[in-house]
Amino acid sequence: MQVSPNSPIRLALVAYPGVQRSALEGMADMFALLPRLTGAGAAGAAVDLIRVDAGNRPEAAVDAFVFPPSLEATQAAPDHPLVHWARDRHAEGALACSVCAGAFWLGQAGLLDGRPATTHWALEAGFRASFPGVKLQPEHILIDDIDVVTAGGLMAWLDMGLHLVGLWFGADLATRLARHLLVDPAGREQRHYAGFRPPRSHGDVAILGVQRRMDTDFADPLPVAMLAAGAGMSERSFLRRFLRATGMSPAAYLQRLRVEKARGALERGGESTAGIAWAVGYRDVSAFSRAFKAVTGLSPGAYRDRFRIAAGRRG
């Protein structure tokens, strides 16, 4: 997701019951530093910070929201107003993020079902019991699954903040911010920033619904006729509106989405290339390898060797 110079990011920090206040304020301070690092005007790194709590839940669209960590045993309830707020904002296209125990809130909102995610290692048993459908990987500090990003550990809000700065404003600014904070980015788990960030702020509700379906059903055959019917359009109208909203055809979009999912799996390691190919929708490993190399310039094996993330620190 690249930000145009005149389009400030609207970032919501969620102050849920029991939230770690130092993390909440720390993230706010990180983004407040960006104008100082980018010079006068700071038009290229503008972030509008919004504070959200149970009594203040703005309905205006946001680009992203973060549930920070917690020092208390407070757990999210499925009917909590902030759970509904998060689900609605994500459905509108917002990037959903959590740190440590904040993942319980995304879990209650149903945003982690079937996805890889992480949280603090000490919360593993309780999280698995509450959300058995989530592919929990607590050994990782940060997992980016395109429209949902989770981080584990009480201090992983630093990783989350640097990651978001890198996604929105580039690796150079993320590195400058890390140096300013005296945080060593080497060894911290940050994704390769040039990943697939499909546009979601185009305002076409029907096409956004199709994108959401592709996010979850990417491994299934998704013919144009099926997607158009689900959107209530003729194939011709659907193809025209999808191209206008996303800048690519449904087939190209699905290929990029599958490759991005595969990139994350290869970076986290563990599964075989054939298993990853199958999991993202390719029944022919050779076809998967060709598609992957066409997008990334590397074979799956070479990509794994270059970008594989070491297991995160525990704590």
Side-chain angles (χ1 to χ4, degrees), residues 11-38:
L11 173 62
L13 301 178
V14 185
Y16 61 87
V19 72
Q20 182 184 344
R21 290 285 169 178
S22 61
L24 189 74
E25 299 302 330
M27 291 198 73
D29 287 344
M30 287 183 77
F31 289 100
L33 280 172
L34 297 183
R36 185 183 306 179
L37 299 178
T38 53

Side-chain angles (χ1 to χ4, degrees), residues 20 22-23 69 99-100 120 141 151-160 188 313 315:
Q20 182 184 344
S22 61
V99 182
C100 191
H120 195 289
I141 294 297
L154 288 171
M155 295 303 295
W157 59 268
L158 285 163
D159 300 86
M160 179 64 75
R188 304 182 80 85
R313 56 193 182 280

Side-chain angles (χ1 to χ4, degrees), residues 68-103:
S70 172
L71 293 175
E72 301 180 15
T74 306
Q75 296 294 335
D79 59 348
H80 195 284
L82 288 174
V83 169
H84 294 291
W85 179 88
R87 186 185 300 120
D88 290 344
R89 299 292 79 76
H90 184 257
E92 293 172 351
L95 176 67
C97 308
S98 69
V99 182
C100 191

Side-chain angles (χ1 to χ4, degrees), residues 10-269:
R10 288 177 55 83
L11 173 62
L13 301 178
V14 185
Y16 61 87
V19 72
Q20 182 184 344
R21 290 285 169 178
S22 61
L24 189 74
E25 299 302 330
M27 291 198 73
D29 287 344
M30 287 183 77
F31 289 100
L33 280 172
L34 297 183
R36 185 183 306 179
L37 299 178
T38 53
V47 178
D48 286 344
L49 290 174
I50 303 163
R51 304 298 182 96
V52 176
D53 57 40
N56 176 37
R57 306 185 307 279
E59 297 299 316
V62 297
D63 294 293
F65 58 85
V66 181
F67 281 85
S70 172
L71 293 175
E72 301 180 15
T74 306
Q75 296 294 335
D79 59 348
H80 195 284
L82 288 174
V83 169
H84 294 291
W85 179 88
R87 186 185 300 120
D88 290 344
R89 299 292 79 76
H90 184 257
E92 293 172 351
L95 176 67
C97 308
S98 69
V99 182
C100 191
F104 282 83
W105 292 83
L106 297 190
Q108 291 290 8
L111 304 185
L112 302 180
D113 294 344
R115 293 177 178 269
T118 189
T119 187
H120 195 289
W121 61 266
L123 303 174
E124 179 178 357
F127 192 92
R128 290 190 188 280
S130 297
F131 310 108
V134 178
K135 300 174 182 177
L136 187 64
Q137 299 177 16
E139 69 273 18
H140 292 292
I141 294 297
L142 187 143
I143 294 178
D144 183 334
D145 198 40
I146 302 178
D147 62 327
V148 174
V149 183
T150 55
L154 288 171
M155 295 303 295
W157 59 268
L158 285 163
D159 300 86
M160 179 64 75
L162 291 172
H163 187 73
L164 293 178
V165 170
L167 288 178
W168 294 330
F169 307 117
D172 178 68
L173 184 54
T175 300
R176 278 190 281 158
L177 178 59
R179 288 173 178 168
H180 186 83
L181 296 172
L182 298 182
V183 175
D184 183 5
R188 304 182 80 85
E189 196 171 307
Q190 297 185 63
R191 288 288 305 272
H192 186 52
Y193 295 126
F196 179 48
R197 296 286 152 183
R200 299 178 187 273
S201 58
H202 44 69
D204 191 324
V205 176
I207 296 302
L208 182 58
V210 173
Q211 289 179 267
R212 290 294 181 211
R213 179 175 183 178
M214 295 172 86
D215 286 343
T216 57
D217 298 343
F218 59 87
D220 298 334
L222 294 172
V224 169
M226 178 190 296
L227 296 175
M233 305 178 200
S234 68
E235 290 186 37
R236 184 175 180 180
S237 294
F238 170 70
L239 288 171
R240 183 179 66 252
R241 284 175 59 174
F242 193 94
L243 179 63
R244 184 170 64 237
T246 68
M248 62 189 76
S249 69
Y253 185 101
L254 182 59
Q255 182 189 56
R256 290 295 306 275
L257 181 61
R258 286 173 168 174
V259 167
E260 186 66 15
K261 296 283 188 176
R263 281 173 44 145
L266 288 165
E267 289 170 11
R268 292 189 293 274

